[in-house]
Coordinates of all heavy atoms in Angstrom, one line a residue:
M1 N -6.5 5.0 -2.0 CA -5.9 6.2 -2.5 C -4.5 6.3 -2.0 O -4.2 5.8 -0.9 CB -6.7 7.4 -1.9 CG -6.1 8.7 -2.3 SD -7.2 10.1 -1.8 CE -6.4 10.5 -0.2
I2 N -3.6 6.8 -2.8 CA -2.2 7.0 -2.4 C -1.8 8.4 -2.5 O -2.1 9.1 -3.5 CB -1.3 6.2 -3.4 CG1 -1.6 4.7 -3.3 CG2 0.2 6.5 -3.1 CD1 -0.8 3.9 -4.2
Q3 N -1.2 8.9 -1.4 CA -0.8 10.3 -1.3 C 0.7 10.3 -1.1 O 1.2 9.8 0.0 CB -1.5 11.0 -0.2 CG -1.5 12.5 -0.2 CD -2.4 13.1 0.9 OE1 -3.0 12.3 1.7 NE2 -2.6 14.3 0.9
K4 N 1.5 10.9 -1.9 CA 2.9 11.0 -1.8 C 3.4 12.3 -1.4 O 3.0 13.3 -2.0 CB 3.6 10.6 -3.2 CG 3.2 9.3 -3.7 CD 3.8 9.1 -5.1 CE 3.2 7.9 -5.8 NZ 3.6 7.8 -7.2
T5 N 4.3 12.4 -0.4 CA 4.9 13.7 0.0 C 6.4 13.6 -0.1 O 7.0 12.7 0.6 CB 4.5 14.0 1.5 OG1 3.0 14.0 1.6 CG2 5.0 15.3 1.9
Y6 N 6.9 14.4 -1.0 CA 8.4 14.3 -1.2 C 9.0 15.4 -0.3 O 8.5 16.5 -0.2 CB 8.7 14.6 -2.7 CG 8.4 13.4 -3.6 CD1 7.1 13.4 -4.2 CD2 9.3 12.4 -3.8 CE1 6.8 12.3 -5.0 CE2 8.9 11.3 -4.6 CZ 7.7 11.3 -5.2 OH 7.3 10.2 -6.0
F7 N 10.2 15.2 0.2 CA 11.0 16.2 0.9 C 12.3 16.5 0.1 O 13.0 15.5 -0.3 CB 11.4 15.6 2.3 CG 10.1 15.3 3.1 CD1 9.7 13.9 3.2 CD2 9.4 16.2 3.8 CE1 8.6 13.6 3.9 CE2 8.3 15.9 4.5 CZ 7.9 14.5 4.6
K8 N 12.6 17.7 -0.1 CA 13.8 18.1 -0.8 C 15.1 17.6 -0.2 O 16.0 17.2 -0.8 CB 13.9 19.6 -1.0 CG 12.9 20.2 -1.9 CD 13.0 21.7 -2.1 CE 12.0 22.3 -3.0 NZ 12.0 23.7 -3.1
T9 N 15.1 17.6 1.2 CA 16.4 17.3 1.9 C 16.4 15.8 2.4 O 17.4 15.5 3.0 CB 16.6 18.2 3.1 OG1 15.5 18.1 3.9 CG2 16.7 19.7 2.6
K10 N 15.4 15.0 2.1 CA 15.4 13.7 2.5 C 15.5 12.7 1.3 O 15.2 13.0 0.3 CB 14.1 13.4 3.3 CG 13.7 14.3 4.4 CD 14.6 14.1 5.6 CE 14.1 15.0 6.7 NZ 14.9 15.0 7.8
D11 N 16.0 11.5 1.6 CA 16.2 10.5 0.6 C 15.0 9.5 0.6 O 15.1 8.4 0.0 CB 17.5 9.7 0.7 CG 17.6 9.0 2.1 OD1 16.7 9.2 2.9 OD2 18.6 8.3 2.2
Y12 N 13.9 9.9 1.2 CA 12.7 9.1 1.2 C 11.5 9.9 0.9 O 11.5 11.2 0.9 CB 12.6 8.4 2.5 CG 12.4 9.3 3.7 CD1 11.1 9.7 4.1 CD2 13.4 9.7 4.5 CE1 10.9 10.5 5.2 CE2 13.2 10.5 5.6 CZ 12.0 10.9 5.9 OH 11.8 11.8 7.0
C13 N 10.4 9.2 0.6 CA 9.1 9.9 0.4 C 8.1 9.3 1.4 O 8.1 8.1 1.6 CB 8.6 9.5 -1.0 SG 7.0 10.1 -1.5
K14 N 7.3 10.2 2.0 CA 6.3 9.7 2.9 C 5.0 9.4 2.1 O 4.6 10.2 1.3 CB 5.9 10.8 4.0 CG 5.0 10.2 5.0 CD 4.9 11.1 6.2 CE 4.3 12.5 5.9 NZ 4.0 13.3 7.0
V15 N 4.5 8.2 2.2 CA 3.4 7.7 1.4 C 2.2 7.4 2.4 O 2.4 6.6 3.3 CB 3.8 6.5 0.5 CG1 2.6 6.1 -0.3 CG2 5.0 6.7 -0.3
K16 N 1.1 7.9 2.1 CA -0.1 7.7 2.9 C -1.0 6.8 2.0 O -1.4 7.2 0.9 CB -0.8 8.9 3.3 CG -2.0 8.7 4.2 CD -2.6 9.9 4.7 CE -3.8 9.6 5.7 NZ -4.4 10.8 6.2
F17 N -1.3 5.6 2.6 CA -2.3 4.7 1.9 C -3.6 4.8 2.6 O -3.7 4.8 3.8 CB -1.7 3.2 2.0 CG -0.4 3.0 1.3 CD1 0.8 3.2 2.0 CD2 -0.4 2.5 0.0 CE1 2.0 3.0 1.4 CE2 0.8 2.2 -0.6 CZ 1.9 2.5 0.1
T18 N -4.7 4.9 1.8 CA -6.0 5.0 2.4 C -7.0 4.1 1.6 O -6.9 4.1 0.3 CB -6.6 6.5 2.3 OG1 -5.6 7.3 2.9 CG2 -7.9 6.6 3.1
L19 N -7.8 3.3 2.3 CA -8.6 2.4 1.7 C -10.0 2.2 2.5 O -9.9 2.3 3.7 CB -8.0 1.0 1.6 CG -8.7 -0.1 0.8 CD1 -8.7 0.2 -0.7 CD2 -8.1 -1.5 1.1
K20 N -11.1 2.1 1.8 CA -12.3 1.9 2.5 C -13.1 0.7 1.9 O -14.0 0.9 1.1 CB -13.2 3.2 2.4 CG -14.4 3.1 3.3 CD -15.2 4.4 3.3 CE -16.4 4.4 4.3 NZ -17.1 5.6 4.3
P21 N -12.7 -0.5 2.3 CA -13.4 -1.7 1.8 C -14.6 -1.9 2.6 O -14.7 -1.6 3.8 CB -12.3 -2.8 2.0 CG -11.5 -2.3 3.2 CD -11.5 -0.8 3.1
E22 N -15.6 -2.5 1.9 CA -16.9 -2.8 2.6 C -16.7 -3.9 3.6 O -16.0 -4.9 3.4 CB -18.0 -3.2 1.6 CG -18.4 -2.1 0.7 CD -19.5 -2.5 -0.2 OE1 -20.3 -3.3 0.2 OE2 -19.7 -1.9 -1.3
N23 N -17.3 -3.8 4.8 CA -17.4 -4.8 5.8 C -16.0 -5.3 6.2 O -15.8 -6.5 6.6 CB -18.2 -6.1 5.3 CG -19.6 -5.7 4.9 OD1 -20.3 -4.9 5.6 ND2 -20.1 -6.2 3.8
A24 N -15.0 -4.4 6.3 CA -13.7 -4.8 6.7 C -13.5 -4.6 8.2 O -13.9 -3.6 8.8 CB -12.7 -4.0 6.0
E25 N -12.9 -5.6 8.9 CA -12.5 -5.5 10.3 C -11.0 -5.1 10.4 O -10.6 -4.5 11.4 CB -12.9 -6.7 11.0 CG -14.3 -7.0 11.1 CD -15.1 -5.9 11.9 OE1 -14.6 -5.4 12.9 OE2 -16.2 -5.6 11.4
S26 N -10.2 -5.6 9.4 CA -8.8 -5.3 9.5 C -8.3 -5.2 8.0 O -8.8 -5.9 7.1 CB -8.0 -6.4 10.2 OG -8.1 -7.7 9.4
V27 N -7.3 -4.4 7.8 CA -6.6 -4.2 6.5 C -5.1 -4.1 6.8 O -4.7 -3.4 7.7 CB -7.1 -3.0 5.8 CG1 -6.4 -2.8 4.4 CG2 -8.6 -3.0 5.5
A28 N -4.3 -4.8 6.0 CA -2.9 -4.6 6.1 C -2.3 -4.5 4.7 O -2.9 -4.9 3.7 CB -2.3 -5.9 6.8
I29 N -1.1 -4.0 4.6 CA -0.4 -3.8 3.4 C 0.8 -4.8 3.3 O 1.5 -4.9 4.2 CB 0.2 -2.4 3.2 CG1 -0.8 -1.3 3.4 CG2 0.9 -2.3 1.8 CD1 -0.3 0.1 3.5
A30 N 0.8 -5.6 2.2 CA 1.8 -6.6 2.1 C 2.7 -6.2 0.9 O 2.2 -5.7 -0.1 CB 1.3 -8.0 1.9
G31 N 4.0 -6.5 0.9 CA 4.9 -6.4 -0.2 C 5.8 -5.2 -0.3 O 6.7 -5.2 -1.1
L32 N 5.5 -4.2 0.5 CA 6.4 -3.0 0.4 C 7.8 -3.4 0.8 O 8.1 -4.2 1.7 CB 5.9 -1.9 1.3 CG 4.5 -1.3 0.9 CD1 4.1 -0.3 2.0 CD2 4.6 -0.7 -0.4
N33 N 8.8 -2.8 0.1 CA 10.2 -3.1 0.2 C 10.4 -4.6 0.0 O 11.3 -5.2 0.6 CB 10.7 -2.7 1.7 CG 10.9 -1.2 1.8 OD1 11.3 -0.6 0.8 ND2 10.5 -0.6 2.9
S34 N 9.6 -5.2 -0.8 CA 9.7 -6.6 -1.2 C 9.5 -7.5 0.0 O 10.0 -8.7 0.0 CB 11.1 -6.9 -1.9 OG 11.2 -6.2 -3.1
D35 N 8.8 -7.1 1.0 CA 8.6 -7.9 2.2 C 7.2 -8.3 2.2 O 6.3 -7.5 2.6 CB 9.0 -7.0 3.4 CG 8.9 -7.8 4.8 OD1 8.4 -9.0 4.7 OD2 9.4 -7.3 5.8
W36 N 6.9 -9.5 1.9 CA 5.5 -10.1 1.8 C 5.1 -10.8 3.1 O 4.0 -11.2 3.3 CB 5.4 -11.0 0.6 CG 5.4 -10.3 -0.7 CD1 6.6 -10.0 -1.4 CD2 4.4 -9.6 -1.3 NE1 6.2 -9.3 -2.5 CE2 4.9 -9.0 -2.5 CE3 3.0 -9.5 -1.1 CZ2 4.1 -8.3 -3.4 CZ3 2.2 -8.8 -2.0 CH2 2.8 -8.2 -3.1
K37 N 6.1 -10.9 4.0 CA 5.8 -11.6 5.3 C 5.4 -10.7 6.4 O 4.6 -11.0 7.2 CB 7.0 -12.5 5.7 CG 7.2 -13.6 4.7 CD 8.3 -14.6 5.1 CE 8.4 -15.7 4.0 NZ 9.5 -16.5 4.3
N38 N 6.1 -9.6 6.5 CA 5.8 -8.6 7.6 C 4.9 -7.5 7.1 O 5.2 -6.6 6.4 CB 7.1 -7.9 8.0 CG 8.1 -8.9 8.7 OD1 7.7 -9.6 9.6 ND2 9.3 -9.0 8.2
L39 N 3.6 -7.7 7.5 CA 2.5 -6.8 7.0 C 2.5 -5.5 7.8 O 2.9 -5.5 8.9 CB 1.2 -7.5 7.2 CG 1.0 -8.9 6.5 CD1 -0.3 -9.4 6.8 CD2 1.3 -8.8 5.0
I40 N 2.1 -4.5 7.1 CA 1.9 -3.2 7.7 C 0.4 -3.0 8.0 O -0.4 -3.0 7.1 CB 2.4 -2.0 6.8 CG1 3.9 -2.2 6.5 CG2 2.1 -0.7 7.4 CD1 4.5 -1.4 5.4
T41 N 0.1 -3.0 9.3 CA -1.3 -2.9 9.7 C -1.8 -1.4 9.5 O -1.1 -0.5 9.9 CB -1.4 -3.2 11.2 OG1 -0.9 -4.6 11.4 CG2 -2.9 -3.2 11.6
M42 N -3.0 -1.3 8.9 CA -3.6 0.0 8.7 C -4.5 0.3 9.9 O -5.2 -0.6 10.4 CB -4.3 0.0 7.4 CG -3.4 -0.3 6.2 SD -4.2 -0.3 4.6 CE -4.5 1.5 4.3
S43 N -4.6 1.6 10.2 CA -5.5 2.0 11.3 C -6.9 2.2 10.8 O -7.1 2.8 9.8 CB -5.0 3.3 11.9 OG -3.6 3.1 12.4
K44 N -7.9 1.8 11.6 CA -9.3 2.0 11.2 C -9.8 3.3 11.8 O -9.7 3.5 13.0 CB -10.1 0.8 11.6 CG -11.6 0.9 11.1 CD -12.3 -0.4 11.4 CE -13.7 -0.3 10.8 NZ -14.5 -1.6 11.1
K45 N -10.5 4.1 11.0 CA -11.1 5.3 11.5 C -12.6 5.1 11.7 O -13.1 4.0 11.3 CB -10.9 6.4 10.4 CG -9.5 6.6 10.0 CD -9.1 8.1 10.2 CE -7.6 8.2 10.3 NZ -6.9 8.4 9.0
K46 N -13.3 6.0 12.4 CA -14.7 5.8 12.7 C -15.6 5.7 11.4 O -16.6 5.0 11.5 CB -15.2 7.0 13.5 CG -14.7 7.1 14.9 CD -15.2 8.3 15.7 CE -14.6 8.3 17.1 NZ -15.0 9.5 17.8
D47 N -15.2 6.3 10.3 CA -16.0 6.2 9.1 C -15.7 4.9 8.3 O -16.3 4.8 7.2 CB -15.7 7.5 8.2 CG -14.4 7.5 7.7 OD1 -13.5 6.7 8.0 OD2 -14.1 8.5 6.8
G48 N -14.9 4.0 8.8 CA -14.7 2.8 8.2 C -13.5 2.8 7.2 O -13.2 1.8 6.6
T49 N -12.8 4.0 7.2 CA -11.6 4.1 6.3 C -10.4 3.6 7.1 O -10.2 3.8 8.3 CB -11.4 5.6 5.9 OG1 -12.5 6.1 5.3 CG2 -10.2 5.8 5.1
F50 N -9.5 2.9 6.3 CA -8.2 2.4 6.9 C -7.1 3.2 6.3 O -7.1 3.6 5.1 CB -8.0 1.0 6.6 CG -8.9 0.0 7.3 CD1 -10.2 -0.2 6.9 CD2 -8.5 -0.6 8.5 CE1 -11.1 -1.1 7.6 CE2 -9.3 -1.5 9.2 CZ -10.6 -1.7 8.7
S51 N -6.1 3.6 7.1 CA -5.0 4.3 6.6 C -3.7 3.9 7.2 O -3.7 3.4 8.4 CB -5.2 5.9 6.7 OG -5.2 6.2 8.0
A52 N -2.6 4.2 6.6 CA -1.2 3.9 7.1 C -0.3 4.9 6.4 O -0.4 5.1 5.2 CB -0.8 2.5 6.9
E53 N 0.7 5.4 7.1 CA 1.8 6.2 6.5 C 3.1 5.4 6.6 O 3.4 4.8 7.6 CB 1.9 7.5 7.2 CG 0.8 8.5 6.9 CD 1.1 9.9 7.4 OE1 2.3 10.2 7.8 OE2 0.2 10.7 7.3
V54 N 3.8 5.4 5.4 CA 5.0 4.7 5.4 C 6.1 5.5 4.7 O 5.8 6.2 3.7 CB 4.8 3.4 4.5 CG1 6.1 2.5 4.4 CG2 3.7 2.5 5.1
S55 N 7.3 5.5 5.1 CA 8.4 6.1 4.5 C 9.1 5.1 3.5 O 9.5 4.1 4.0 CB 9.4 6.7 5.5 OG 8.8 7.7 6.2
L56 N 9.2 5.5 2.3 CA 9.8 4.6 1.3 C 10.9 5.4 0.5 O 10.8 6.6 0.3 CB 8.8 4.1 0.3 CG 7.7 3.2 0.8 CD1 6.6 3.0 -0.2 CD2 8.2 1.9 1.3
P57 N 12.0 4.6 0.1 CA 13.1 5.3 -0.6 C 12.7 6.0 -1.9 O 11.9 5.5 -2.6 CB 14.1 4.2 -0.9 CG 13.6 3.0 -0.1 CD 12.2 3.2 0.2
K58 N 13.2 7.2 -2.1 CA 13.0 7.9 -3.4 C 13.6 7.0 -4.5 O 14.5 6.3 -4.3 CB 13.6 9.3 -3.4 CG 12.9 10.3 -2.6 CD 13.6 11.6 -2.7 CE 12.9 12.7 -1.9 NZ 13.7 13.9 -2.0
E59 N 13.1 7.3 -5.7 CA 13.5 6.6 -6.9 C 13.5 5.1 -6.8 O 14.4 4.4 -7.1 CB 14.9 7.1 -7.3 CG 14.9 8.6 -7.6 CD 16.3 9.1 -7.9 OE1 17.2 8.3 -8.3 OE2 16.5 10.3 -7.8
S60 N 12.3 4.6 -6.3 CA 12.2 3.1 -6.1 C 10.8 2.7 -6.6 O 9.9 3.6 -6.8 CB 12.4 2.7 -4.7 OG 11.4 3.3 -3.8
Q61 N 10.6 1.4 -6.8 CA 9.3 0.9 -7.1 C 9.0 -0.2 -6.1 O 9.9 -0.9 -5.7 CB 9.3 0.2 -8.5 CG 9.3 1.2 -9.7 CD 9.0 0.4 -11.0 OE1 7.9 0.4 -11.4 NE2 10.1 -0.1 -11.6
H62 N 7.7 -0.3 -5.8 CA 7.2 -1.3 -4.8 C 6.0 -2.0 -5.3 O 5.0 -1.3 -5.6 CB 7.0 -0.7 -3.5 CG 8.2 0.0 -3.0 ND1 9.2 -0.5 -2.2 CD2 8.6 1.3 -3.1 CE1 10.1 0.3 -1.9 NE2 9.8 1.5 -2.4
E63 N 6.0 -3.3 -5.3 CA 4.8 -4.1 -5.6 C 4.1 -4.3 -4.2 O 4.7 -4.5 -3.2 CB 5.1 -5.4 -6.2 CG 5.5 -5.3 -7.7 CD 5.7 -6.6 -8.3 OE1 4.9 -7.5 -8.1 OE2 6.7 -6.8 -9.1
F64 N 2.7 -4.2 -4.2 CA 2.0 -4.5 -2.9 C 0.6 -4.9 -3.2 O 0.1 -4.8 -4.3 CB 2.1 -3.2 -2.0 CG 1.2 -2.1 -2.6 CD1 0.0 -1.9 -2.1 CD2 1.7 -1.2 -3.5 CE1 -0.8 -0.8 -2.5 CE2 1.0 -0.2 -4.0 CZ -0.3 0.1 -3.5
K65 N 0.0 -5.4 -2.2 CA -1.5 -5.7 -2.2 C -2.0 -5.4 -0.8 O -1.3 -5.3 0.2 CB -1.7 -7.1 -2.5 CG -1.6 -7.5 -4.0 CD -1.9 -8.9 -4.2 CE -3.3 -9.1 -4.8 NZ -3.5 -9.0 -6.2
Y66 N -3.3 -5.1 -0.7 CA -4.0 -5.0 0.6 C -4.5 -6.4 1.0 O -5.1 -7.1 0.1 CB -5.2 -4.0 0.5 CG -4.7 -2.6 0.2 CD1 -5.1 -2.0 -1.0 CD2 -4.0 -1.8 1.1 CE1 -4.8 -0.7 -1.3 CE2 -3.7 -0.5 0.8 CZ -4.0 0.0 -0.4 OH -3.7 1.3 -0.7
L67 N -4.4 -6.7 2.2 CA -5.0 -8.0 2.8 C -6.2 -7.5 3.7 O -5.9 -7.0 4.8 CB -4.0 -8.8 3.5 CG -4.4 -10.1 4.1 CD1 -5.0 -11.0 3.0 CD2 -3.3 -10.8 4.9
V68 N -7.4 -7.8 3.3 CA -8.6 -7.4 4.1 C -9.1 -8.6 4.9 O -9.3 -9.7 4.3 CB -9.7 -6.9 3.1 CG1 -10.9 -6.5 3.9 CG2 -9.1 -5.7 2.3
N69 N -9.3 -8.4 6.1 CA -9.9 -9.4 7.0 C -9.0 -10.7 7.0 O -9.6 -11.8 7.1 CB -11.4 -9.7 6.7 CG -12.2 -8.6 7.0 OD1 -12.0 -7.7 7.8 ND2 -13.3 -8.5 6.3
E70 N -7.7 -10.6 6.7 CA -6.8 -11.7 6.8 C -7.1 -12.8 5.7 O -6.6 -13.9 5.8 CB -6.7 -12.3 8.1 CG -6.2 -11.3 9.2 CD -6.0 -11.9 10.6 OE1 -6.1 -13.2 10.7 OE2 -5.9 -11.1 11.5
S71 N -8.0 -12.4 4.7 CA -8.4 -13.5 3.8 C -8.5 -13.0 2.3 O -8.5 -13.8 1.4 CB -9.6 -14.2 4.2 OG -10.7 -13.3 4.3
E72 N -8.8 -11.7 2.1 CA -9.2 -11.2 0.8 C -8.0 -10.3 0.3 O -7.8 -9.3 1.0 CB -10.5 -10.5 0.8 CG -10.9 -10.0 -0.5 CD -12.2 -9.1 -0.4 OE1 -12.8 -9.0 0.7 OE2 -12.7 -8.7 -1.5
W73 N -7.5 -10.5 -0.8 CA -6.5 -9.6 -1.4 C -7.1 -8.6 -2.4 O -7.9 -9.0 -3.2 CB -5.5 -10.5 -2.2 CG -4.6 -11.4 -1.3 CD1 -4.9 -12.7 -1.1 CD2 -3.5 -11.0 -0.5 NE1 -3.9 -13.2 -0.2 CE2 -3.1 -12.2 0.1 CE3 -2.8 -9.8 -0.3 CZ2 -2.0 -12.2 1.0 CZ3 -1.7 -9.8 0.5 CH2 -1.3 -11.0 1.1
L74 N -6.7 -7.4 -2.1 CA -7.3 -6.3 -3.0 C -6.1 -5.5 -3.6 O -5.1 -5.3 -2.9 CB -8.2 -5.3 -2.2 CG -9.5 -5.8 -1.7 CD1 -10.2 -4.7 -0.9 CD2 -10.4 -6.3 -2.8
N75 N -6.3 -4.9 -4.8 CA -5.3 -4.0 -5.4 C -5.7 -2.6 -5.1 O -6.9 -2.3 -4.8 CB -5.2 -4.3 -6.9 CG -4.3 -5.5 -7.2 OD1 -3.6 -6.0 -6.3 ND2 -4.4 -6.0 -8.4
E76 N -4.8 -1.7 -5.2 CA -5.0 -0.3 -5.1 C -5.5 0.3 -6.5 O -4.7 0.2 -7.5 CB -3.8 0.5 -4.7 CG -3.8 2.0 -4.7 CD -5.0 2.6 -4.0 OE1 -5.0 2.4 -2.7 OE2 -5.8 3.2 -4.6
P77 N -6.7 0.7 -6.6 CA -7.2 1.2 -8.0 C -6.4 2.5 -8.5 O -6.3 2.6 -9.7 CB -8.7 1.6 -7.7 CG -8.9 1.5 -6.3 CD -7.8 0.8 -5.6
E78 N -5.8 3.2 -7.6 CA -5.1 4.4 -8.0 C -3.6 4.2 -8.0 O -2.8 5.2 -8.1 CB -5.4 5.6 -7.1 CG -6.8 6.0 -7.1 CD -7.1 7.2 -6.2 OE1 -6.2 7.9 -5.9 OE2 -8.3 7.4 -5.9
A79 N -3.1 2.9 -8.0 CA -1.7 2.6 -8.1 C -1.1 3.2 -9.4 O -1.8 3.4 -10.4 CB -1.4 1.1 -8.0
D80 N 0.2 3.4 -9.4 CA 0.8 3.9 -10.7 C 0.8 2.9 -11.8 O 0.7 3.3 -13.0 CB 2.3 4.2 -10.4 CG 2.4 5.4 -9.4 OD1 1.7 6.4 -9.6 OD2 3.2 5.2 -8.4
K81 N 0.8 1.6 -11.5 CA 0.5 0.6 -12.5 C 0.2 -0.8 -11.8 O 0.3 -0.9 -10.6 CB 1.7 0.4 -13.5 CG 3.0 -0.1 -12.8 CD 4.1 -0.2 -13.9 CE 5.4 -0.8 -13.3 NZ 6.4 -0.9 -14.3
Q82 N -0.2 -1.8 -12.6 CA -0.4 -3.1 -12.1 C 0.6 -4.0 -12.8 O 0.9 -3.8 -14.0 CB -1.8 -3.6 -12.4 CG -2.9 -2.6 -11.9 CD -3.1 -2.7 -10.4 OE1 -2.9 -3.7 -9.8 NE2 -3.4 -1.5 -9.8
K83 N 1.0 -5.0 -12.1 CA 2.0 -6.0 -12.6 C 1.6 -7.4 -12.3 O 1.2 -7.7 -11.2 CB 3.4 -5.7 -12.0 CG 4.5 -6.6 -12.5 CD 5.8 -6.2 -11.9 CE 6.9 -7.1 -12.5 NZ 8.2 -6.8 -11.8
K84 N 1.6 -8.3 -13.3 CA 1.3 -9.7 -13.2 C 2.2 -10.4 -12.1 O 3.4 -10.0 -12.1 CB 1.3 -10.4 -14.5 CG 0.2 -10.0 -15.4 CD 0.1 -11.0 -16.6 CE -1.1 -10.6 -17.5 NZ -1.3 -11.5 -18.6
N85 N 1.7 -11.2 -11.3 CA 2.5 -11.9 -10.4 C 2.5 -13.4 -10.7 O 1.8 -13.9 -11.6 CB 2.0 -11.6 -8.9 CG 0.6 -12.1 -8.7 OD1 0.1 -13.1 -9.2 ND2 -0.1 -11.4 -7.8
E86 N 3.2 -14.2 -9.9 CA 3.4 -15.6 -10.1 C 2.2 -16.4 -9.9 O 2.1 -17.6 -10.1 CB 4.6 -16.1 -9.3 CG 4.4 -15.9 -7.8 CD 5.7 -16.2 -7.1 OE1 6.6 -15.4 -7.2 OE2 5.7 -17.2 -6.3
F87 N 1.1 -15.8 -9.2 CA -0.1 -16.5 -8.9 C -1.2 -16.3 -9.9 O -2.3 -16.7 -9.7 CB -0.6 -16.0 -7.5 CG 0.5 -16.2 -6.4 CD1 1.2 -15.1 -6.0 CD2 0.8 -17.5 -5.9 CE1 2.2 -15.3 -4.9 CE2 1.7 -17.7 -4.9 CZ 2.4 -16.6 -4.5
G88 N -0.9 -15.7 -11.0 CA -1.9 -15.5 -12.1 C -2.8 -14.3 -11.9 O -3.8 -14.1 -12.5
T89 N -2.5 -13.5 -10.8 CA -3.2 -12.2 -10.6 C -2.3 -11.1 -10.8 O -1.2 -11.2 -11.3 CB -3.9 -12.2 -9.2 OG1 -2.8 -12.3 -8.2 CG2 -4.8 -13.4 -9.0
T90 N -2.7 -9.9 -10.3 CA -1.8 -8.7 -10.4 C -1.6 -8.1 -9.0 O -2.3 -8.3 -8.1 CB -2.4 -7.6 -11.3 OG1 -3.7 -7.3 -10.8 CG2 -2.6 -8.1 -12.7
N91 N -0.4 -7.4 -9.0 CA -0.1 -6.6 -7.8 C -0.1 -5.2 -8.2 O 0.1 -4.8 -9.4 CB 1.4 -6.9 -7.3 CG 1.5 -8.4 -6.8 OD1 0.6 -9.0 -6.4 ND2 2.7 -8.9 -6.9
S92 N -0.4 -4.3 -7.2 CA -0.4 -2.9 -7.4 C 1.1 -2.5 -7.4 O 1.9 -3.1 -6.7 CB -1.1 -2.1 -6.3 OG -2.5 -2.5 -6.4
V93 N 1.5 -1.4 -8.1 CA 2.8 -0.9 -8.1 C 2.8 0.6 -7.8 O 2.1 1.3 -8.4 CB 3.6 -1.2 -9.5 CG1 5.0 -0.6 -9.4 CG2 3.6 -2.7 -9.7
I94 N 3.7 1.0 -6.9 CA 3.8 2.4 -6.6 C 5.3 2.8 -7.1 O 6.2 2.1 -6.8 CB 3.6 2.7 -5.1 CG1 3.8 4.3 -4.9 CG2 4.6 2.0 -4.2 CD1 3.4 4.7 -3.5
I95 N 5.4 3.9 -7.8 CA 6.6 4.4 -8.3 C 6.9 5.7 -7.6 O 6.2 6.7 -7.7 CB 6.6 4.5 -9.8 CG1 6.2 3.2 -10.5 CG2 7.9 5.1 -10.4 CD1 5.9 3.3 -12.0
L96 N 8.1 5.8 -7.0 CA 8.5 7.0 -6.3 C 9.7 7.6 -7.0 O 10.5 7.0 -7.7 CB 8.9 6.7 -4.9 CG 7.8 6.0 -4.1 CD1 8.3 5.5 -2.7 CD2 6.7 6.9 -3.9

């Protein structure tokens, strides 16, 4: 799930990412701000849900994927759109 919070006086949007994959020990977000090397670690809650809040520039687009247990790539089902990537799969896209 993606939750966007816009601020009238700020040039960024606060975005909350939430995901509940089965049997996950760790989840990270890759690709935000075109950075596929520095992952954003998501915090695990008691109910097994992972979440992270990130500030991203307004009027921008970001491709991303979730990395579960350091081995499985997942897309965000509620992303604004999906875009084909160079590996023959798709990336999630968030539009702000």
Side-chain angles (χ1 to χ4, degrees):
M1 182 174 90
I2 297 176
Q3 195 173 9
K4 303 173 189 173
T5 305
Y6 291 91
F7 302 98
K8 289 182 181 178
T9 59
K10 307 283 185 191
D11 60 352
Y12 63 86
C13 175
K14 186 167 67 172
V15 183
K16 183 175 183 180
F17 296 88
T18 307
L19 186 70
K20 190 174 182 180
E22 290 186 28
N23 304 317
E25 293 300 318
S26 67
V27 179
I29 306 169
L32 294 178
N33 288 320
S34 298
D35 187 349
W36 291 91
K37 293 184 179 173
N38 296 307
L39 305 180
I40 297 167
T41 303
M42 299 178 74
S43 302
K44 187 175 185 178
K45 306 235 164 88
K46 290 180 183 178
D47 68 356
T49 302
F50 289 81
S51 68
E53 284 190 11
V54 182
S55 294
L56 297 170
K58 284 183 181 176
E59 300 179 18
S60 63
Q61 284 192 94
H62 303 270
E63 290 185 38
F64 70 97
K65 284 184 101 85
Y66 296 114
L67 181 58
V68 179
N69 295 333
E70 299 180 14
S71 62
E72 181 184 2
W73 293 99
L74 294 180
N75 282 344
E76 169 57 63
E78 294 182 22
D80 295 315
K81 65 181 185 176
Q82 303 291 324
K83 184 177 178 185
K84 288 188 178 185
N85 62 32
E86 61 192 67
F87 302 105
T89 61
T90 58
N91 295 335
S92 299
V93 179
I94 182 171
I95 302 171
L96 304 171

